[in-house]
Amino acid sequence: MNHEREERATSEQLTNRQGHPVTDNQNVRTVGNRGPTTLENYDFLEKISHFDRERIPERVVHARGAGAHGYFEAYGTIGDEPISKYTRAKLFQEKGKQTPVFVRFSSVVHGGHSPETLRDPRGFAVKFYTEDGNWDLVGNNLKIFFIRDPLKFPDLVHAFKPDPVTNLQDGERIFDFISQTPEAMHMITFLFSPWGIPANYRLMQGSGVNTYKWVNKDGEGFLVKYHWEPKQGIKNLTQEEAEQIQGKNFNHATQDLYEAIENGDFPEWELFVQIISDDEHPELDYDPLDPTKLWYKDDIPWQPVGKMVLNKNPENYFAEVEQAAFGTGVLVDGLDFSDDKLLQGRTFSYSDTQRYRVGSNYLQLPINSPKKHVATNQRDGQMEYHVDKGKGQNPHVNYEPSIIGGLKEAPKEGKDHTPYVEGELKRESIERQNNFTQAGETYRRFSNWERDELIKNLVNTLKPCRAEIQNTMVELLTKCDEEYGKRVEDGLNSDNDDETLSHRNPIGNKDSDDAVKKAEQIGHPSDPY
């Protein structure tokens, strides 16, 4: 009976919720293979819309979080040039100009009360309350991601979430998916190294991950990546260090952030950008729109444009941290989207999930509302408590255009950015995938102790997996770096338990009776960027 059920399951065809066969579950429909995406991506919209509504009321991802208020101070220049050469966004223009911010740090996969020591990317979301309205810079502590197409996002998260039957996170499920997703090798290399467990929120980097655009007053666009660098320094944890902390305090990162600010030790980050022209850059061996790739500092330098200081704790956790809502589509004039497919998918998903999770009027909550006056013709919806109308607006007019007292369109302050788009609608991945080169380069740039920790964590998670998953992962890691793959293979073939920790899953909780010795800081983190 079990054999029949397994045979039936493996032969079942994938459909959508309407019963339509899904013939391509890997690629959204785009203009050419680099994008942009088109709105008639019905399977993607149905899939991601359902995914956004899978949990009530907790965030589907980034459920565990902490936050703080502060300000961003602009430098006004980029290198020796005025920043206006690249962007007309007002918050960057004047040296010393300060913009209020709210920041939410988070873990990604685990639930709202999970330990903050678990191996997991960390969210790093910043809301700028600018004079032109809100700008949300939503990213994480690692500068890349697992996938490049948003159609795979629900599958990725499902694989990393607990088993739907046992409710336990399972390394075999994770690597079953990863072994079939070669583009994830780079992110896995970071995640299973010490970079996968930042010591706390104050001692970790942040990044926008996706490629965005800056637009100047002439409508000229530039590709840009964002990086937050902590002035407190960077520290990551080994698995043993994390388990020792978790045994005493599973709220350590939230506590550390709160107490530092409460004691006047205000954490600071410097904001760096990387800027290149808005084209395909054939000189690179990867596509600059690919979120699985780093733009190396040696090729595209980091340039400082401002700093952020966090100096005020929330007064009410739920009202400010839990109900804080971010979206990658929340951009002000002078900032724009690139054709990065993952960015365009996130732009729909993030705001959509906030309307579901918090409500259609989530932007009326104080933590989410802009600091400037808001005037719209949008009305009603769940839990509306005031109307965003214009000063002196005729209350009978909630439409535009009008000659009897309605709202008027705002004047433009610069030329429109009008990139030329042409191509066939396709479901294809980008051409320059190059899934292995940067993963191998990152492995080689790690310090010796970081490579040792990476191998140990991969082996411990892969050992309980079935042989075909192990073999596929070894094959993929060998394509990244021959030594990398060989060390994982040797670890999997070893019967010496002393060479590995006894726990099954270093990406989740440790289940071991062994006493954990007091860990020592082995070394400083590398700079693999």
PDB file of all heavy atoms in Angstrom, residues 179-192:
ATOM      1  N   SER A 179      19.840  20.751  -3.806  1.00  0.00           N
ATOM      2  CA  SER A 179      20.599  19.923  -4.749  1.00  0.00           C
ATOM      3  C   SER A 179      20.051  20.020  -6.167  1.00  0.00           C
ATOM      4  O   SER A 179      20.754  19.702  -7.130  1.00  0.00           O
ATOM      5  CB  SER A 179      20.599  18.459  -4.290  1.00  0.00           C
ATOM      6  OG  SER A 179      19.290  17.901  -4.383  1.00  0.00           O
ATOM      7  N   GLN A 180      18.799  20.470  -6.300  1.00  0.00           N
ATOM      8  CA  GLN A 180      18.190  20.646  -7.616  1.00  0.00           C
ATOM      9  C   GLN A 180      18.180  22.123  -8.033  1.00  0.00           C
ATOM     10  O   GLN A 180      17.524  22.490  -9.021  1.00  0.00           O
ATOM     11  CB  GLN A 180      16.759  20.097  -7.612  1.00  0.00           C
ATOM     12  CG  GLN A 180      16.654  18.642  -7.207  1.00  0.00           C
ATOM     13  CD  GLN A 180      17.503  17.754  -8.080  1.00  0.00           C
ATOM     14  OE1 GLN A 180      17.396  17.776  -9.305  1.00  0.00           O
ATOM     15  NE2 GLN A 180      18.384  16.978  -7.454  1.00  0.00           N
ATOM     16  N   THR A 181      18.888  22.959  -7.268  1.00  0.00           N
ATOM     17  CA  THR A 181      18.886  24.406  -7.517  1.00  0.00           C
ATOM     18  C   THR A 181      20.331  24.899  -7.501  1.00  0.00           C
ATOM     19  O   THR A 181      20.799  25.476  -6.516  1.00  0.00           O
ATOM     20  CB  THR A 181      18.055  25.132  -6.432  1.00  0.00           C
ATOM     21  OG1 THR A 181      16.788  24.475  -6.292  1.00  0.00           O
ATOM     22  CG2 THR A 181      17.820  26.588  -6.793  1.00  0.00           C
ATOM     23  N   PRO A 182      21.086  24.675  -8.589  1.00  0.00           N
ATOM     24  CA  PRO A 182      22.522  24.992  -8.571  1.00  0.00           C
ATOM     25  C   PRO A 182      22.827  26.451  -8.252  1.00  0.00           C
ATOM     26  O   PRO A 182      23.880  26.743  -7.681  1.00  0.00           O
ATOM     27  CB  PRO A 182      22.966  24.630  -9.998  1.00  0.00           C
ATOM     28  CG  PRO A 182      21.961  23.618 -10.471  1.00  0.00           C
ATOM     29  CD  PRO A 182      20.668  24.022  -9.834  1.00  0.00           C
ATOM     30  N   GLU A 183      21.932  27.356  -8.601  1.00  0.00           N
ATOM     31  CA  GLU A 183      22.185  28.776  -8.343  1.00  0.00           C
ATOM     32  C   GLU A 183      22.291  29.082  -6.851  1.00  0.00           C
ATOM     33  O   GLU A 183      22.785  30.142  -6.461  1.00  0.00           O
ATOM     34  CB  GLU A 183      21.075  29.631  -8.962  1.00  0.00           C
ATOM     35  CG  GLU A 183      19.721  29.471  -8.286  1.00  0.00           C
ATOM     36  CD  GLU A 183      18.556  29.701  -9.241  1.00  0.00           C
ATOM     37  OE1 GLU A 183      18.425  28.918 -10.203  1.00  0.00           O
ATOM     38  OE2 GLU A 183      17.789  30.645  -9.017  1.00  0.00           O
ATOM     39  N   ALA A 184      21.835  28.153  -5.993  1.00  0.00           N
ATOM     40  CA  ALA A 184      21.858  28.366  -4.545  1.00  0.00           C
ATOM     41  C   ALA A 184      23.208  28.034  -3.917  1.00  0.00           C
ATOM     42  O   ALA A 184      23.386  28.252  -2.715  1.00  0.00           O
ATOM     43  CB  ALA A 184      20.765  27.527  -3.873  1.00  0.00           C
ATOM     44  N   MET A 185      24.165  27.513  -4.681  1.00  0.00           N
ATOM     45  CA  MET A 185      25.439  27.097  -4.088  1.00  0.00           C
ATOM     46  C   MET A 185      26.154  28.253  -3.399  1.00  0.00           C
ATOM     47  O   MET A 185      26.802  28.075  -2.359  1.00  0.00           O
ATOM     48  CB  MET A 185      26.352  26.504  -5.168  1.00  0.00           C
ATOM     49  CG  MET A 185      25.889  25.173  -5.746  1.00  0.00           C
ATOM     50  SD  MET A 185      25.622  23.903  -4.496  1.00  0.00           S
ATOM     51  CE  MET A 185      23.830  23.865  -4.478  1.00  0.00           C
ATOM     52  N   HIS A 186      26.058  29.446  -3.951  1.00  0.00           N
ATOM     53  CA  HIS A 186      26.761  30.584  -3.361  1.00  0.00           C
ATOM     54  C   HIS A 186      26.144  30.936  -2.004  1.00  0.00           C
ATOM     55  O   HIS A 186      26.858  31.109  -1.012  1.00  0.00           O
ATOM     56  CB  HIS A 186      26.700  31.774  -4.323  1.00  0.00           C
ATOM     57  CG  HIS A 186      27.710  32.828  -4.015  1.00  0.00           C
ATOM     58  ND1 HIS A 186      27.713  34.062  -4.634  1.00  0.00           N
ATOM     59  CD2 HIS A 186      28.757  32.858  -3.144  1.00  0.00           C
ATOM     60  CE1 HIS A 186      28.720  34.791  -4.163  1.00  0.00           C
ATOM     61  NE2 HIS A 186      29.363  34.088  -3.269  1.00  0.00           N
ATOM     62  N   MET A 187      24.821  31.025  -1.952  1.00  0.00           N
ATOM     63  CA  MET A 187      24.156  31.380  -0.699  1.00  0.00           C
ATOM     64  C   MET A 187      24.361  30.298   0.365  1.00  0.00           C
ATOM     65  O   MET A 187      24.561  30.601   1.551  1.00  0.00           O
ATOM     66  CB  MET A 187      22.661  31.597  -0.949  1.00  0.00           C
ATOM     67  CG  MET A 187      21.880  32.078   0.265  1.00  0.00           C
ATOM     68  SD  MET A 187      22.376  33.725   0.782  1.00  0.00           S
ATOM     69  CE  MET A 187      21.013  34.161   1.858  1.00  0.00           C
ATOM     70  N   ILE A 188      24.343  29.041  -0.045  1.00  0.00           N
ATOM     71  CA  ILE A 188      24.566  27.942   0.899  1.00  0.00           C
ATOM     72  C   ILE A 188      25.978  28.028   1.486  1.00  0.00           C
ATOM     73  O   ILE A 188      26.196  27.751   2.675  1.00  0.00           O
ATOM     74  CB  ILE A 188      24.344  26.586   0.186  1.00  0.00           C
ATOM     75  CG1 ILE A 188      22.843  26.330   0.024  1.00  0.00           C
ATOM     76  CG2 ILE A 188      24.987  25.444   0.960  1.00  0.00           C
ATOM     77  CD1 ILE A 188      22.093  26.168   1.322  1.00  0.00           C
ATOM     78  N   THR A 189      26.933  28.439   0.662  1.00  0.00           N
ATOM     79  CA  THR A 189      28.308  28.583   1.143  1.00  0.00           C
ATOM     80  C   THR A 189      28.386  29.627   2.247  1.00  0.00           C
ATOM     81  O   THR A 189      29.086  29.441   3.252  1.00  0.00           O
ATOM     82  CB  THR A 189      29.238  28.939  -0.027  1.00  0.00           C
ATOM     83  OG1 THR A 189      29.180  27.896  -1.003  1.00  0.00           O
ATOM     84  CG2 THR A 189      30.671  29.114   0.435  1.00  0.00           C
ATOM     85  N   PHE A 190      27.682  30.727   2.082  1.00  0.00           N
ATOM     86  CA  PHE A 190      27.630  31.723   3.150  1.00  0.00           C
ATOM     87  C   PHE A 190      26.831  31.223   4.349  1.00  0.00           C
ATOM     88  O   PHE A 190      27.244  31.367   5.499  1.00  0.00           O
ATOM     89  CB  PHE A 190      26.998  33.024   2.630  1.00  0.00           C
ATOM     90  CG  PHE A 190      27.978  33.973   2.014  1.00  0.00           C
ATOM     91  CD1 PHE A 190      28.017  34.153   0.642  1.00  0.00           C
ATOM     92  CD2 PHE A 190      28.862  34.680   2.801  1.00  0.00           C
ATOM     93  CE1 PHE A 190      28.921  35.034   0.063  1.00  0.00           C
ATOM     94  CE2 PHE A 190      29.776  35.562   2.248  1.00  0.00           C
ATOM     95  CZ  PHE A 190      29.801  35.738   0.868  1.00  0.00           C
ATOM     96  N   LEU A 191      25.669  30.636   4.106  1.00  0.00           N
ATOM     97  CA  LEU A 191      24.741  30.292   5.187  1.00  0.00           C
ATOM     98  C   LEU A 191      25.322  29.252   6.139  1.00  0.00           C
ATOM     99  O   LEU A 191      25.117  29.323   7.355  1.00  0.00           O
ATOM    100  CB  LEU A 191      23.419  29.788   4.602  1.00  0.00           C
ATOM    101  CG  LEU A 191      22.326  29.449   5.612  1.00  0.00           C
ATOM    102  CD1 LEU A 191      21.921  30.675   6.420  1.00  0.00           C
ATOM    103  CD2 LEU A 191      21.116  28.849   4.911  1.00  0.00           C
ATOM    104  N   PHE A 192      26.054  28.267   5.624  1.00  0.00           N
ATOM    105  CA  PHE A 192      26.575  27.212   6.476  1.00  0.00           C
ATOM    106  C   PHE A 192      27.967  27.532   7.039  1.00  0.00           C
ATOM    107  O   PHE A 192      28.517  26.757   7.804  1.00  0.00           O
ATOM    108  CB  PHE A 192      26.571  25.875   5.730  1.00  0.00           C
ATOM    109  CG  PHE A 192      25.212  25.222   5.748  1.00  0.00           C
ATOM    110  CD1 PHE A 192      24.209  25.651   4.902  1.00  0.00           C
ATOM    111  CD2 PHE A 192      24.930  24.212   6.648  1.00  0.00           C
ATOM    112  CE1 PHE A 192      22.954  25.083   4.933  1.00  0.00           C
ATOM    113  CE2 PHE A 192      23.678  23.630   6.695  1.00  0.00           C
ATOM    114  CZ  PHE A 192      22.676  24.065   5.837  1.00  0.00           C
TER     115      PHE A 192
END
